[in-house]
């Protein structure tokens, strides 16, 4: 990639600006300041600035940090004639000419190139950027709710076997953390948690007896009830969900209120 500044530096700068904006709004108490003269205009300016920052940040995440996008861009540039009609010479290393025309191979070469020049901090920042661009807004809310380390009840629904064990699972990772986080799609919480677990940001643990009341509430959840109805005899496997070590580090780096 050929940027005047390192991609990681640009990403960090935009993320920091977005974080400071969100943190300022939280600290000043927008609910109170809305009552002051002229604040409605100021709030519109803030929201517009926030949209611009987030739009630019998403552009950076979608383009600068995507090796496949970079490979496609490089291949396109290589096949596009210069003004004099000649074709530029490709500069991607660690891959032969034929592979430069194949985006998947070129994308791998791009990652290998990164691995040569990345130090510990740049590598960590790149990892976090790749994780961040995979999250949905609801998943970000869930991670925020888990960020203080508190466990939430989780339950799997399986078909009970003749011996009382768990047979076929019809639902995994239902949890009350979605409602606590105020997600827009409560019925998608099991899928959200499955993705967060797959990204290494969230972990499952054993049942916590002190959360018994919350488990009872969870068993009345519509998604859980529907899964229960889909089997003849249901068995509930109770667990807890909490933020992982990677998730805590990731949140510390990305927490907008800390800006």
């Amino acid at each position: 990639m050929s940027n005047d500044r390192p991609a990681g530096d640009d990403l960090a700068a935009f993320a920091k600006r977005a974080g400071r904006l969100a943190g300022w709004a939280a600290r000043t108490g927008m609910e109170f300041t809305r009552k002051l003269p002229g604040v409605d205009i100021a709030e519109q300016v803030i929201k517009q600035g926030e949209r611009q920052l987030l739009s630019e940040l998403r552009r950076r995440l979608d383009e600068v940090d995507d090796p496949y996008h970079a490979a496609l861009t490089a291949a396109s540039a290589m096949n596009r004639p210069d003004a004099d009609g000649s074709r530029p010479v490709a500069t991607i290393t660690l891959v032969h000419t034929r592979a430069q025309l194949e985006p998947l191979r070129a994308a791998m070469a791009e990652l290998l190139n990164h691995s040569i020049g990345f130090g510990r901090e740049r590598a960590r920042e790149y990892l976090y950027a790749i994780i961040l661009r995979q999250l949905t807004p609801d998943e970000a809310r869930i991670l925020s709710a888990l960020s203080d380390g508190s466990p939430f009840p989780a339950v799997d629904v399986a078909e009970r076997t003749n011996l009382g064990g768990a047979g076929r699972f019809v639902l995994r990772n239902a949890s009350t953390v979605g409602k606590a986080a105020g997600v827009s799609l409560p019925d998608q919480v099991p899928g959200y948690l499955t993705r967060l677990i797959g990204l290494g940001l969230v972990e499952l643990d054993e049942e916590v007896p002190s959360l018994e009341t919350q488990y009872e509430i969870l068993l009345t959840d519509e998604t859980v009830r529907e899964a229960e109805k889909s089997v003849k005899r249901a068995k509930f496997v109770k667990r807890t969900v909490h933020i992982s070590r990677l998730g805590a580090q990731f949140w510390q780096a990305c927490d907008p209120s800390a800006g």
Side-chain angles (χ1 to χ4, degrees):
M1 303 180 197
S2 57
N3 291 333
D4 293 335
R5 296 176 57 195
D9 293 345
D10 287 344
L11 177 61
F14 281 107
K16 188 173 182 180
R17 289 170 61 196
R20 281 203 300 265
L21 180 62
W24 179 86
R27 287 192 296 271
T28 53
M30 292 303 293
E31 290 300 325
F32 170 76
T33 54
R34 283 194 183 98
K35 301 177 182 179
L36 300 179
V39 169
D40 55 339
I41 299 177
E43 185 179 352
Q44 292 176 13
V45 173
I46 291 172
K47 289 182 177 179
Q48 181 179 2
E50 182 183 33
R51 283 195 296 269
Q52 291 174 346
L53 284 173
L54 294 179
S55 176
E56 180 65 13
L57 177 59
R58 178 169 289 278
R59 186 182 71 81
R60 297 284 181 176
L61 292 173
D62 286 345
E63 297 182 2
V64 175
D65 288 308
D66 189 338
Y68 187 73
H69 179 277
L72 288 176
T73 302
S76 175
M78 185 175 63
N79 290 318
R80 186 169 57 248
D82 288 337
D84 60 2
S86 63
R87 293 183 180 276
V89 178
T91 58
I92 298 176
T93 60
L94 300 180
V95 65
H96 51 72
T97 304
R98 179 172 175 272
Q100 288 173 337
L101 298 174
E102 301 175 13
L104 290 175
R105 298 181 187 278
M108 179 58 73
E110 188 75 15
L111 288 176
L112 292 174
N113 283 340
H114 279 318
S115 71
I116 296 173
F118 272 17
R120 185 179 181 86
E121 291 304 315
R122 285 290 305 282
R124 181 183 292 110
E125 185 176 271
Y126 193 93
L127 170 64
Y128 291 168
I130 293 299
I131 292 174
L132 184 60
R133 67 191 297 268
Q134 296 181 68
L135 296 181
T136 68
D138 275 351
E139 289 166 349
R141 281 183 170 272
I142 290 174
L143 200 62
S144 176
L146 294 170
S147 63
D148 65 356
S150 300
F152 281 82
V155 69
D156 297 341
V157 181
E159 190 166 23
R160 183 184 295 273
T161 66
N162 292 332
L163 299 177
R168 176 176 60 96
F169 281 85
V170 293
L171 179 66
R172 290 186 182 273
N173 305 324
S175 176
T176 58
V177 69
K179 289 184 178 179
V183 299
S184 299
L185 300 174
D187 59 316
Q188 296 300 317
V189 169
Y192 291 151
L193 284 180
T194 299
R195 278 172 39 84
L196 290 171
I197 292 168
L199 290 170
L201 302 176
V202 167
E203 293 178 341
L204 295 171
D205 213 332
E206 299 296 323
E207 175 184 359
V208 175
S210 62
L211 298 177
E212 184 57 35
T213 300
Q214 293 190 45
Y215 282 113
E216 292 177 1
I217 294 174
L218 178 57
L219 294 182
T220 66
D221 182 86
E222 183 177 348
T223 303
V224 176
R225 295 294 299 274
E226 287 298 318
E228 181 183 6
K229 293 176 183 177
S230 69
V231 295
K232 291 182 178 180
R233 295 184 301 165
K235 180 177 178 62
F236 302 104
V237 181
K238 297 178 181 179
R239 293 184 288 183
T240 56
V241 60
H242 60 87
I243 197 166
S244 67
R245 182 171 179 270
L246 172 61
Q249 293 171 339
F250 172 77
W251 182 258
Q252 183 179 12
C254 301
D255 181 1
S257 66

